[in-house]
Amino acid sequence: MSTTKIKFSKEEILNDYYIAHLSRNISLMGRKEVLTGKAKFGIFGDGKELAQIALAKTFKEGDWRSGYYRDQTFMMAAGLFTAKEFFAQLYGQTDIELNPGNAGRTFNNHFATRSLNPDGTWKDLTKQKNSTPDISPTAGQMPRLLGLAWASKLFRNNKELWRFEQFSRKGNEVAFGTIGDASTSEGHFWETLNAAAVLQVPMVVAVWDDGYGISVPRDYQTAKGNISELVKGFEKGESDVNGIYIYRVKGWDYPALIETFTQGVERSRTEQVPVLFHVTEITQPQGHSTSGSHERYKSPERLQWEKDYDCNARFRNWIVTEGYATETELNEIEAKAQADAKAAREKAWAEFTNPIKKERDELIKIIDNRSCFCKREHIDKVGEITEQLKAIPNPIRKDNISAAKRILRHVCSDCSIREKLQADLTAWIERNMNDGYDRYSSHLYCETERAAWKVKGIPPVFKDDSPLVAGREILRDNWDAQFQKNPLLVIFGEDVGGIGGVNQSYEGLQKKYGEIRISDTGIRENTILGQGLGLALRGMRPVAEIQYFDYLLYAIQTMSDDLATIRWRTKSGQMAPLIISTRGHRLEGVWHAGSPLSMVINSIRGVYVCVPRNMTQAAGFYNTLLEADDPALVIEPLNGYRLKEKRPENIGEYKIPLGVPEILREGSDVTLVTYGSCVRIAQEAVEQLWEFGISVELIDVQTLLPFDLPNLILDSIKKTNRIVFFDEDVPGGATAYMMQKVLEERAGYQYLDSPPKTITAREHRPAYTTDGDYFSNPNAEDVFDGIYELMHEVNPKRYPKLF
């Protein structure tokens, strides 16, 4: 035990003791709720109470947390989470007022505060303590943590941002990250630590070290068995220009924890430097989760040690030894904590179950006394299902809706009760299914007037004498116009700053606007994305550049699990309108020419995907997205930077609407649907087909998410009665996605006179050299042959076989 004498008030110490025991009690009760079937799964913060209480003392209004699923005591001590909310999360409460952290959309102990007002506008983030929404993938909270901290540096060093006082008070905020010791084995942790050390940002990381990663001991997780020893290469010395300050403290030592956290966090806040706390000798009294018991893998000696070094027991001994309270006083506090935990559990359970029971009772009222003895089945199936539903003591909504749907299956079409019963049940089911959509499926994207798809298009303006310029210059000049208008705009990525991007689409902008706003990064795609994610959560308008589309795979986990789900998993409590800019398609070789669109669009629902055919369209998408509150990925066509395009007269002002395809050429025989770099190939093929008397209607979809909102493609099929989907993804990839959207979702199949067709790349990635590309990716000849063959089947005489 530390001998450092820190002056505390008795009131503060006993309040901390109460929080520690309240948190422990709800953890113990939470496990029982799962094991008795009242909750689905539980993961808790027992054993870490004291360290988290101490850390929470340094957490101020305006600060941000990016933590993990054992931080319940930190959140309670910070005043951001209650015992009743703990149980609400455990049961899966979907009422946002009762479960504001996640509205029942994620596991328990997944915390978040609300950054947005109900109308989607920003709250004053400097007048509240902020927590980003947690995710389960271990170390997945680290990339965004970097961006949260970097935002403070930008707000401090760019005086233009000082007027945005609802987002920052001149960068005085610290970003707090928490992580389990075993999770430091993940690459996200190391990439974030390195980037923070280079950038020198106010990022505080607390590593809770309880000796295990589920059942695997620390020695199998970490070299040297000690994370603070392992990261010594990052440690910042007096003469070092960058690095990380490292502190070590035991998780049961109350005064040492407070002293250490206070010193380290204040240093991070004032000097804007990263700090790592290695908190050792933490225990985990109930093991990893409700999925198993830690007695299976911990020795009797280890289990005894955990009892001896339990932080709450040690805290009690310290309080009595130091004379802050008597045994009797502490017993009373423990009794109150237990009683309050039970009351919270009972209240949360009633609030969770009563509305569902009310829905069940409303359903029973509809079907009661409407039994029907079926002549064919010789059984009163309606009555039987009704009685089964009545017998469930604590029904869930699945029970209610399942019963309602099954009843109608067993009422004969000629039964006298069917018509009225069907009408009443249909209305009840529809109402409850709509409620279910709101509870579980709403707010995947922005639903206010700031939704990206609602931004009205403004066409680019051209004059007869508008100059032809390289596509890259349109992007450069468009960014220039945007930087002049919006001080919150920043762009960063590999080679973005000094040389203006690998294709010089940012040429000269860093010199004009400074390194704070246009900056280079290391080769670390995941934390480039994380930088943008954290900035967007804090109110800035970041553009994160991933140099090539193929490299996006380094960041796909963070895009999928974090960025794409932020608005949805908080039920519109937070947003991160990050723009990810990359380039792809039609170069040469495996890792500079990929088009794995299906992999991306099926992984990042919640992020819009724009696939412009040229740089004029790309710039228009950026302009649209900067007016909206949705995240998006824009894939610039890699072979278009030097191609000549007319320079729009209204650069920086025109906007390309999302979800609206463009008919590039009207036709009557076949509809050809494509996007991106494939458009130019399609245009070449369409010209060749015209020479043979085949009229092709060529449509550029422009965005894959959202997809064809006005149903332009369907209207085209009604005219041509034939359709071909063309891209350079693998077979069954994005072409299959487009086909499903058009033929199944919009019922386009009923207008076809010929089978639908797809033209795609080979199943492998593009091979090297121009010939490799020709034999890997679809080309104009492939498009010609595919459409000509389709027309041959329609009219063999007019379109005889060519080979």
Side-chain angles (χ1 to χ4, degrees):
M1 181 69 67
S2 170
T3 58
T4 303
K5 294 295 182 181
I6 301 177
K7 298 297 183 182
F8 302 109
S9 70
K10 178 177 179 178
E11 181 183 10
E12 179 183 1
I13 291 172
L14 296 189
N15 184 62
D16 289 346
Y17 191 74
Y18 168 77
I19 293 173
H21 278 270
L22 178 63
S23 183
R24 178 65 61 86
N25 272 285
I26 61 177
S27 290
L28 297 174
M29 293 178 186
R31 183 178 182 86
K32 291 179 181 178
E33 295 299 277
V34 174
L35 298 182
T36 56
K38 290 170 70 177
K40 193 78 173 178
F41 175 80
I43 196 159
F44 312 113
D46 46 304
K48 299 165 179 64
E49 293 91 352
L50 206 57
Q52 292 186 8
I53 287 170
L55 184 61
K57 293 178 184 295
T58 67
F59 192 57
K60 298 181 179 181
E61 288 187 347
D63 287 346
W64 283 82
R65 168 190 168 274
S66 181
Y68 91 135
Y69 43 71
R70 298 197 189 279
D71 286 350
Q72 71 193 49
T73 315
F74 176 92
M75 294 294 289
M76 294 171 73
L80 301 175
F81 190 62
T82 67
K84 187 162 73 74
E85 288 172 352
F86 169 92
F87 289 106
Q89 283 193 351
L90 194 66
Y91 301 139
Q93 173 64 259
T94 57
D95 187 325
I96 198 69
E97 299 298 323
L98 301 175
N99 184 6
N102 63 39
R105 295 185 175 193
T106 56
F107 285 157
N108 78 299
N109 273 17
H110 284 57
F111 312 105
T113 52
R114 303 193 73 76
S115 302
L116 305 179
N117 295 308
D119 64 357
T121 57
W122 289 101
K123 292 184 175 184
D124 189 335
L125 304 181
T126 68
K127 292 182 179 178
Q128 62 180 41
K129 297 173 183 178
N130 302 283
S131 175
T132 56
D134 297 340
I135 58 176
S136 291
T138 57
Q141 69 272 30
M142 295 300 293
R144 86 172 92 100
L145 174 63
L146 177 67
L148 294 170
W150 191 44
S152 290
K153 186 167 186 175
L154 298 186
F155 277 117
R156 176 171 293 187
N157 294 322
N158 183 359
K159 291 184 179 180
E160 285 188 87
L161 300 180
W162 288 5
R163 59 188 169 93
F164 295 97
E165 293 185 348
Q166 78 272 39
F167 298 139
S168 175
R169 295 302 170 92
K170 299 181 181 179
N172 190 48
E173 306 81 25
V174 172
F176 287 68
T178 59
I179 188 169
D181 180 66
S183 296
T184 64
S185 300
E186 295 280 8
H188 290 0
F189 173 81
W190 293 95
E191 189 173 319
T192 300
L193 227 58
N194 179 59
V198 170
L199 290 171
Q200 290 295 278
V201 293
M203 182 183 90
V204 166
V205 178
V207 179
W208 311 129
D209 186 354
D210 60 25
Y212 291 84
I214 306 183
S215 67
V216 181
R218 183 195 301 115
D219 290 343
Y220 290 92
Q221 306 276 0
T222 308
K224 301 183 179 181
N226 188 315
I227 190 61
S228 54
E229 285 294 313
L230 192 57
V231 300
K232 271 190 172 180
F234 288 114
E235 192 160 18
K236 187 174 184 178
E238 290 184 7
S239 60
D240 293 328
V241 296
N242 58 33
I244 297 174
Y245 289 111
I246 300 172
Y247 295 81
R248 300 159 189 83
V249 64
K250 292 177 171 55
W252 46 262
D253 191 337
Y254 180 73
L257 284 163
I258 294 174
E259 180 181 339
T260 303
F261 287 146
T262 299
Q263 179 184 340
V265 172
E266 184 58 27
R267 176 181 240 174
S268 179
R269 193 182 303 277
T270 56
E271 299 177 26
Q272 288 207 317
V273 291
V275 168
L276 182 138
F277 298 106
H278 182 195
V279 186
T280 62
E281 298 190 13
I282 292 279
T283 66
Q284 197 156 281
Q286 297 187 107
H288 175 262
S289 70
T290 54
S291 294
S293 170
H294 65 155
E295 286 84 2
R296 292 187 302 159
Y297 55 84
K298 290 179 181 175
S299 67
E301 293 77 16
R302 173 68 191 191
L303 292 170
Q304 184 59 49
W305 180 90
E306 293 198 3
K307 289 181 180 178
D308 295 339
Y309 282 83
D310 184 288
C311 64
N312 287 3
R314 288 260 166 170
F315 190 23
R316 181 187 177 101
N317 293 338
W318 178 82
I319 291 172
V320 173
T321 301
E322 295 294 321
Y324 285 106
T326 65
E327 297 275 4
T328 300
E329 288 176 294
L330 298 184
N331 288 340
E332 291 174 353
I333 291 172
E334 290 178 20
K336 174 175 169 47
Q338 185 176 48
D340 289 350
K342 288 180 179 178
R345 178 189 61 189
E346 291 168 5
K347 180 67 172 173
W349 180 246
E351 290 174 340
F352 175 67
T353 55
N354 287 344
I356 302 176
K357 290 177 181 177
K358 182 179 179 182
E359 292 168 18
R360 189 261 310 269
D361 293 344
E362 290 172 353
L363 174 61
I364 290 174
K365 188 176 180 181
I366 293 172
I367 58 181
D368 240 1
N369 302 317
R370 283 173 148 174
S371 301
C372 177
F373 192 86
C374 181
K375 298 174 183 177
R376 289 189 291 272
E377 297 184 5
H378 306 291
I379 188 172
D380 178 10
K381 199 68 177 180
V382 173
E384 183 179 296
I385 296 172
T386 304
E387 292 306 313
Q388 289 172 352
L389 184 59
K390 287 180 180 179
I392 301 174
N394 293 302
I396 59 176
R397 291 186 169 94
K398 174 188 174 184
D399 297 323
N400 295 342
I401 294 176
S402 175
K405 289 186 173 182
R406 285 187 294 127
I407 284 170
L408 285 180
R409 300 176 195 166
H410 295 283
V411 179
C412 302
S413 59
D414 59 349
C415 182
S416 60
I417 72 168
R418 180 175 179 86
E419 184 175 350
K420 182 67 167 67
L421 181 60
Q422 183 178 33
D424 292 344
L425 280 176
T426 298
W428 183 93
I429 291 170
E430 184 176 342
R431 182 174 66 254
N432 281 273
M433 289 300 290
N434 288 338
D435 289 345
Y437 177 87
D438 177 69
R439 289 186 181 100
Y440 297 109
S441 299
S442 62
H443 300 290
L444 180 60
Y445 300 94
C446 177
E447 295 182 6
T448 73
E449 291 305 308
R450 296 269 303 173
W453 67 270
K454 290 185 178 181
V455 176
K456 294 187 182 303
I458 299 175
V461 174
F462 302 103
K463 294 181 179 178
D464 292 339
D465 60 350
S466 293
L468 282 171
V469 298
R472 71 169 187 86
E473 295 183 34
I474 294 174
L475 285 174
R476 179 199 63 194
D477 295 347
N478 194 77
W479 285 126
D480 188 10
Q482 290 295 346
F483 270 99
Q484 291 180 44
K485 290 192 295 184
N486 190 348
L488 291 169
L489 176 63
V490 292
I491 292 178
F492 46 91
E494 299 160 19
D495 302 302
V496 163
I499 67 171
V502 290
N503 295 101
Q504 295 189 294
S505 52
Y506 312 103
E507 180 188 22
L509 295 183
Q510 187 184 73
K511 186 176 181 180
K512 185 172 182 179
Y513 295 102
E515 291 186 24
I516 293 176
R517 300 190 66 191
I518 298 102
S519 57
D520 289 315
T521 68
I523 300 177
R524 46 175 181 79
E525 285 78 12
N526 194 35
T527 48
I528 291 173
L529 187 77
Q531 277 179 250
L533 179 48
L535 291 184
L537 285 165
R538 292 196 58 183
M540 297 196 69
R541 295 309 306 242
V543 179
E545 195 201 77
I546 304 296
Q547 198 163 87
Y548 293 104
F549 187 28
D550 305 85
Y551 302 166
L552 194 70
L553 301 190
Y554 280 105
I556 198 73
Q557 185 272 324
T558 298
M559 283 186 69
S560 178
D561 288 329
D562 204 353
L563 176 64
T565 65
I566 277 176
R567 187 183 288 274
W568 173 80
R569 71 181 190 269
T570 61
K571 202 174 183 184
S572 204
Q574 293 190 22
M575 66 175 175
L578 168 64
I579 298 173
I580 304 162
S581 174
T582 190
R583 50 187 65 83
H585 318 308
R586 305 312 294 217
L587 194 60
E588 293 176 1
V590 179
W591 294 288
H592 292 77
S595 300
L597 261 303
S598 56
M599 181 192 304
V600 172
I601 61 175
N602 292 315
S603 301
I604 63 168
R605 301 296 171 93
V607 176
Y608 287 131
V609 178
C610 305
V611 281
R613 64 182 180 271
N614 58 35
M615 303 311 168
T616 301
Q617 304 301 105
F621 283 134
Y622 291 128
N623 297 341
T624 298
L625 294 166
L626 287 169
E627 296 291 323
D629 287 342
D630 284 298
L633 170 67
V634 180
I635 307 168
E636 299 168 2
L638 186 51
N639 56 4
Y641 293 101
R642 289 173 176 79
L643 296 178
K644 299 294 184 181
E645 302 178 34
K646 271 194 170 186
R647 186 185 187 279
E649 298 295 318
N650 55 342
I651 202 89
E653 300 296 333
Y654 69 93
K655 301 177 183 70
I656 306 299
L658 270 63
V660 181
E662 185 175 352
I663 298 175
L664 300 179
R665 178 166 178 154
E666 293 191 356
S668 56
D669 291 327
V670 182
T671 299
L672 177 59
V673 178
T674 190
Y675 57 86
S677 291
C678 286
V679 169
R680 287 194 301 110
I681 296 168
Q683 287 173 323
E684 182 182 345
V686 166
E687 289 295 333
Q688 296 173 9
L689 288 160
W690 179 254
E691 295 175 7
F692 284 77
I694 299 174
S695 175
V696 178
E697 182 139 297
L698 176 59
I699 299 178
D700 176 9
V701 300
Q702 302 211 89
T703 64
L704 290 168
L705 296 173
F707 184 84
D708 189 11
L709 298 178
N711 281 330
L712 254 169
I713 300 170
L714 181 64
D715 291 340
S716 179
I717 296 177
K718 291 177 181 178
K719 178 172 60 172
T720 66
N721 306 117
R722 296 174 190 87
I723 190 163
V724 174
F725 297 98
F726 163 46
D727 76 353
E728 53 189 83
D729 198 359
V730 296
T735 52
Y737 160 80
M738 293 190 290
M739 183 182 290
Q740 184 272 332
K741 283 286 186 182
V742 176
L743 301 189
E744 179 188 346
E745 190 175 292
R746 289 99 191 270
Y749 70 90
Q750 60 187 319
Y751 303 105
L752 294 180
D753 291 338
S754 299
K757 192 176 186 68
T758 63
I759 300 171
T760 69
R762 300 289 184 181
E763 294 189 42
H764 54 76
R765 297 287 183 88
Y768 183 51
T769 75
T770 302
D771 276 348
D773 172 77
Y774 186 84
F775 286 96
S776 301
N777 274 328
N779 49 64
E781 288 75 41
D782 293 327
V783 177
F784 179 96
D785 293 344
I787 292 177
Y788 187 90
E789 181 182 347
L790 188 66
M791 296 307 295
H792 165 74
E793 293 170 0
V794 174
N795 192 338
K797 290 185 177 180
R798 185 174 179 183
Y799 306 108
K801 274 193 171 294
L802 298 178
F803 49 84

